[in-house]
Amino acid sequence: MRRRSSKRHRIPHKTPEQVTKRIISLRWRLGLRPAKTVGRLELTASTVHAVLTRCEVNRLSHTGSLTGERLMRCEHPYPGSLVHFDVTKFGRIPDDSGWRFIDKQHGGRTREATARRAGKRCACYGPNVATGYVHTVVDDNSRFAYTEI
């Protein structure tokens, strides 16, 4: 009553190893699309596509443009070993969308309220909506992201 794998033990109609190597070498050396490979090797398109998908080289974006080899994703070994920190500057939008969508009198009041809430004043002590800074930190290992305005 042991568990057994349901995977087939042999596949008699599987693409031969030499043909698979030729398909992969054409893909890496010349960067050929499956349709061009079909013309050179006289195989069906479904066979070529199945081989490329099985070997994980079916998309050229997964291979390097100069070498043609499969790209490997670099990742640091433990959390905190590499942290990416980014600061982005945005203009603050006043509450109620500003005076362009409502009249100037009401827009001035909302600008004043936003400046009071943000604690910002310009040099002449008028209301200054100013800018907001978004700080983002991303950990390379865990892909954990933290964002704060």
Side-chain angles (χ1 to χ4, degrees):
M1 299 299 286
R2 289 187 324 223
R3 291 183 177 244
R4 292 186 327 167
S5 173
S6 61
K7 180 180 165 186
R8 292 189 286 178
H9 296 289
R10 59 185 198 86
I11 305 170
H13 56 276
K14 185 177 177 181
T15 308
E17 193 65 32
Q18 328 171 327
V19 176
T20 301
K21 287 181 180 179
R22 287 180 63 199
I23 292 171
I24 298 302
S25 68
L26 282 176
R27 179 65 159 197
W28 279 353
R29 279 189 296 118
L30 305 176
L32 293 180
R33 297 188 313 263
K36 297 275 187 180
T37 308
V38 166
R40 286 198 177 200
L41 300 179
E42 298 178 0
L43 297 169
T44 61
S46 60
T47 301
V48 172
H49 181 69
V51 168
L52 293 175
T53 303
R54 184 174 49 230
C55 297
E56 296 180 355
V57 289
N58 56 329
R59 297 190 182 274
L60 285 176
S61 61
H62 296 182
T63 60
S65 58
L66 297 176
T67 60
E69 294 180 8
R70 192 164 169 242
L71 294 178
M72 300 300 288
R73 183 176 171 269
C74 295
E75 185 176 279
H76 280 254
Y78 55 90
S81 62
L82 179 67
V83 177
H84 175 75
F85 185 79
D86 190 25
V87 179
T88 307
K89 180 180 174 182
F90 290 105
R92 285 200 178 136
I93 298 173
D95 299 337
D96 294 337
S97 303
W99 65 269
R100 291 188 181 182
F101 294 100
I102 52 178
D103 60 357
K104 282 207 176 218
Q105 183 181 10
H106 190 249
R109 278 186 271 159
T110 59
R111 184 170 179 228
E112 179 72 37
T114 303
R116 196 176 317 114
R117 180 176 47 81
K120 300 283 183 180
R121 294 284 177 181
C122 64
C124 61
Y125 202 68
N128 185 9
V129 178
T131 55
Y133 296 91
V134 178
H135 302 271
T136 305
V137 179
V138 179
D139 180 42
D140 181 61
N141 178 272
S142 65
R143 298 292 188 233
F144 177 76
Y146 177 75
T147 303
E148 186 174 299
I149 299 175

